[in-house]
Amino acid sequence: MSFDAGRAVQEENVIPRLLTPATRICIAPWPRSALAILLSAALLAAACGTDVKEASEVVLARHVHTDLYDAYPGIPSPAGDRVVFADYAADKRSLTVYDVVTGVGRAVTSTPGGRTRVTWSPDGSRVVYVDRQSDRHGVWALDPATGRESRIVDPGDARIDYPRLLPDGTVTALRYAGADTAWVAYAPGVDRAMSVVVDRAGGWVAPVRSPDGRAVAYLRVADGRAALAVTEVATGETRTLAADLRLGWDRRVEWSPTGGALLLAAAGTQDSLFVAWRVPVDGGPAERLERSGRDVLAVTPLADGRVALSVYHTRTAVGLLPVTGGEPTDVTTAGSTAGSTSAFLPSWHPGGEALGFITFSWRRVRMPIDFDLGILDLDAEGAPTGTVRTLLSEEGEDYGAAWSPDDRWLAFHSHMEQSDDIWLVPAGGSERPTRLTHFGPGADTGEPDWSPDGRMLAFSSHGPPLEGNPGSVYAVAVDPATGRAAADPVRVPLDGFQGYAMGARFSPDGERLAFYGRSFEDGRVTVYTVPAAGGRPTVVISFVNGEPYSAPEWSADGASLFYSRNDGVGPFQVWRVDISTGATEQVTTGALGALQPSVSPDGRTLAVTMREAAIEVVALATGSAVAGAGSGGW
């Protein structure tokens, strides 16, 4: 039976917002241990106030995250014995599965793919997901023991999303065909006959069938906000349980095992973080669970009655170290706890007397992030003086400040005025910025770099949208007297290059450019150099990598290049490669990752972005006040 969701809608028990009424439950940070830790009421009261509840919890898995922007949750199996994570790099997603008992994670995919919307089969034997890559599009199942993938639903010319594998082998999903959207079911068997369960499901997100099969829960998204709704399949009767929600990039809703409540991660109207929610289906008060200054990315019920939270941890700061190597020293003292400011992508004042970088408060709920340009003064020995101050603050993404060699101008990338372009402002920041390029939204323009004579800026970009360019190196001439573009930007010819170009840096003599190239075939990253006027790029070194963000950096003598590398797994570190011999050495050490290297004008000091990012999955113990809160329990 199917019905038209666009016609059969009866709104009942509407709650305009999740914030009222709601029970607030706050949990302090947990120890990173595989043992259950009972947090005392006194500790919780100190962290969250007096109205708190006890909770026991176990860390199931902790996965170092490789992407600077995207963060996708870890999803535990129904038994809670394994956790799967999706890593994103250059539009390709790989899967890693952790064994909870041993704590060991293993990459289970080896081929490029667009794997997303990751879930488990009800019996926990397979990982289920949709692959968005054009030649692989459909619903796939993976055996985590062997890594074998098989496509279980091929949608043909249609597009599908948010798949769920049911106990009887049926697959439900949203199906998009032209302008039509429907929630459909693919029957078990080789032919996978499709039937429409709900017609006209436009605006639906993350639909999931109730345990008894009688209802479907989903999010309805419009104008950047979402409402949580439940629809009876037989009658089409619809109830909205919550509204005015903000969602992250990975959107999912789960039923409690009894079907009495819905679980999700979202932000209410007054939230600065994503938090966990338990929303009773009968219209009772929603319950809200915070994670003490951390974003909750997903809420997953386990078969034994526990609930698992996927929590985002990050710390981003700028550090200094000698170019000869060592562990960076944090000079911006920036973390990601509540109220603090993070910093990344450092650049040097031409006299070496200051560091510039991006400042922001890292909150998933604020993506896209409002980036500003910060500055930290340095003394003659290169030690910080004073505190971080804001050099340029505009609405949107101000990114990658670069001082001109004569210290008159500051070039940067920005999204001001609905752009995605290179801008210029006097270094004192006293005047409005001037736009140098006019590529427009979607150009994915990178940070600029000045030529040694101060007359040219190089950067990577998709360029004008109508060119269909997957990423190239561009240059724009600048009049150093007026700070205006002397000509339109031009694409630097990269003869024979096949791939996606990222970043661009002038050599100390201005004769060559260095850039990263990402292969379309296998995702490998290569460090290239090319004549500044263009030509055939020269391969310096090639390796498996996550997204390097930024560009290779020249040594002061132009004989070597510094670059960011993580071999596709774990935190980045900065390496150096000798251009003539190809010999490499790791430069940075330490528990925190390091990337985005920038060499000081005197060639003695390296500024880097120090970054730790991890997704931690924690299970709230059965029988705790949190796990048992309300009818049906967490």
Side-chain angles (χ1 to χ4, degrees):
M1 176 182 294
S2 68
F3 65 87
D4 188 333
R7 298 187 179 92
V9 176
Q10 300 176 21
E11 301 290 357
E12 299 178 358
N13 299 324
V14 175
I15 304 174
R17 292 176 176 82
L18 261 178
L19 294 175
T20 305
T23 299
R24 178 176 181 271
I25 303 170
C26 181
I27 296 182
W30 52 87
R32 296 171 185 173
S33 166
L35 299 176
I37 304 295
L38 182 63
L39 298 177
S40 69
L43 175 61
L44 286 172
C48 309
T50 57
D51 185 18
V52 297
K53 302 178 182 181
E54 291 185 2
S56 301
E57 53 191 37
V58 177
V59 175
L60 300 181
R62 180 181 174 87
H63 179 64
V64 174
H65 188 52
T66 62
D67 192 85
L68 190 61
Y69 296 101
D70 293 356
Y72 294 91
I75 305 299
S77 63
D81 59 341
R82 288 162 296 169
V83 181
V84 61
F85 295 87
D87 276 319
Y88 173 86
D91 295 325
K92 308 299 180 186
R93 289 179 175 87
S94 60
L95 302 181
T96 300
V97 173
Y98 281 76
D99 182 280
V100 171
V101 174
T102 65
V104 175
R106 183 173 63 89
V108 293
T109 56
S110 57
T111 57
R115 305 170 184 91
T116 190
R117 314 296 187 204
V118 177
T119 62
W120 289 84
S121 61
D123 64 1
S125 65
R126 290 179 289 173
V127 177
V128 180
Y129 48 91
V130 65
D131 197 314
R132 291 176 173 173
Q133 189 168 295
S134 58
D135 61 338
R136 291 171 49 92
H137 184 56
V139 181
W140 291 71
L142 176 143
D143 182 341
T146 65
R148 182 178 179 274
E149 295 179 282
S150 58
R151 181 156 46 188
I152 58 176
V153 173
D154 185 342
D157 294 333
R159 184 172 65 88
I160 57 176
D161 207 351
Y162 300 101
R164 293 293 181 124
L165 180 60
L166 305 183
D168 66 356
T170 298
V171 174
T172 63
L174 283 179
R175 183 178 185 271
Y176 308 91
D180 298 327
T181 302
W183 186 51
V184 302
Y186 293 90
V190 176
D191 295 336
R192 285 284 180 187
M194 187 199 76
S195 60
V196 175
V197 184
V198 177
D199 197 7
R200 292 185 61 190
W204 282 31
V205 170
V208 57
R209 196 188 72 164
S210 62
D212 62 10
R214 297 179 179 178
V216 55
Y218 54 93
L219 294 156
R220 243 186 353 241
V221 178
D223 299 324
R225 299 286 174 147
L228 178 65
V230 174
T231 294
E232 299 296 326
V233 173
T235 65
E237 177 187 343
T238 296
R239 290 170 291 144
T240 298
L241 303 179
D244 265 347
L245 299 173
R246 289 173 291 175
L247 306 175
W249 288 342
D250 186 275
R251 303 170 176 188
R252 61 184 69 222
V253 178
E254 303 289 352
W255 289 86
S256 65
T258 63
L262 296 172
L263 308 175
L264 73 157
T269 55
Q270 299 178 23
D271 287 326
S272 61
L273 294 162
F274 291 116
V275 298
W277 291 94
R278 177 186 179 277
V279 184
V281 177
D282 64 7
E287 293 171 336
R288 177 179 183 276
L289 179 63
E290 296 179 359
R291 289 310 308 187
S292 186
R294 306 290 186 185
D295 284 297
V296 177
L297 304 181
V299 187
T300 308
L302 302 181
D304 61 8
R306 294 180 297 167
V307 168
L309 307 182
S310 187
V311 184
Y312 186 59
H313 291 253
T314 185
R315 177 191 175 201
T316 308
V318 169
L320 298 178
L321 71 151
V323 293
T324 53
E327 184 171 353
T329 299
D330 179 357
V331 294
T332 58
T333 60
S336 61
T337 55
S340 69
T341 298
S342 295
F344 75 106
L345 194 58
S347 59
W348 290 88
H349 181 276
E353 60 198 48
L355 272 175
F357 38 79
I358 300 166
T359 63
F360 64 100
S361 294
W362 195 278
R363 295 288 183 268
R364 306 305 309 180
V365 76
R366 293 186 63 197
M367 300 295 281
I369 291 175
D370 183 14
F371 291 149
D372 293 323
L373 303 181
I375 186 172
L376 180 65
D377 294 323
L378 306 174
D379 64 19
E381 301 300 319
T385 62
T387 58
V388 175
R389 53 192 173 89
T390 300
L391 188 64
L392 180 65
S393 179
E394 298 284 347
E395 184 68 25
E397 186 176 296
D398 303 322
Y399 186 102
W403 278 278
S404 62
D406 62 3
D407 189 25
R408 290 188 61 186
W409 307 103
L410 199 69
F412 62 100
H413 157 263
S414 182
H415 287 179
M416 287 188 298
E417 300 177 8
Q418 301 299 308
S419 72
D420 195 339
D421 285 280
I422 301 298
W423 293 69
L424 203 71
V425 69
S430 58
E431 301 176 20
R432 288 288 300 169
T434 298
R435 188 172 174 180
L436 298 183
T437 66
H438 293 80
F439 295 149
D444 199 21
T445 300
E447 75 276 9
D449 185 61
W450 289 92
S451 61
D453 64 4
R455 296 181 176 276
M456 192 76 68
L457 286 165
F459 54 94
S460 62
S461 178
H462 292 321
L466 295 180
E467 289 188 4
N469 176 26
S472 287
V473 174
Y474 282 80
V476 60
V478 180
D479 183 337
T482 64
R484 296 188 177 276
D488 291 335
V490 295
R491 190 187 302 186
V492 176
L494 304 176
D495 300 342
F497 172 72
Q498 297 291 325
Y500 173 34
M502 300 175 287
R505 291 287 187 275
F506 280 101
S507 60
D509 61 8
E511 295 296 318
R512 297 186 71 82
L513 290 166
F515 67 96
Y516 289 116
R518 168 83 71 178
S519 168
F520 294 142
E521 298 299 323
D522 58 12
R524 290 179 66 87
V525 169
T526 300
V527 176
Y528 291 96
T529 67
V530 67
R536 181 169 293 276
T538 300
V539 174
V540 180
I541 188 171
S542 182
F543 44 88
V544 176
N545 212 42
E547 199 70 50
Y549 294 108
S550 184
E553 174 75 331
W554 296 85
S555 62
D557 61 5
S560 59
L561 285 164
F562 296 92
Y563 60 98
S564 305
R565 177 174 183 169
N566 78 335
D567 295 319
V569 178
F572 284 92
Q573 295 294 347
V574 172
W575 290 66
R576 175 172 35 220
V577 57
D578 184 286
I579 296 174
S580 62
T581 68
T584 63
E585 62 176 331
Q586 184 174 329
V587 177
T588 57
T589 61
L592 294 182
L595 67 162
Q596 300 172 333
S598 180
V599 175
S600 63
D602 63 10
R604 298 187 302 171
T605 305
L606 197 65
V608 298
T609 297
M610 304 169 62
R611 182 169 184 265
E612 177 188 38
I615 310 296
E616 195 162 65
V617 177
V618 60
L620 306 182
T622 305
S624 69
V626 175
S631 62
W634 270 88

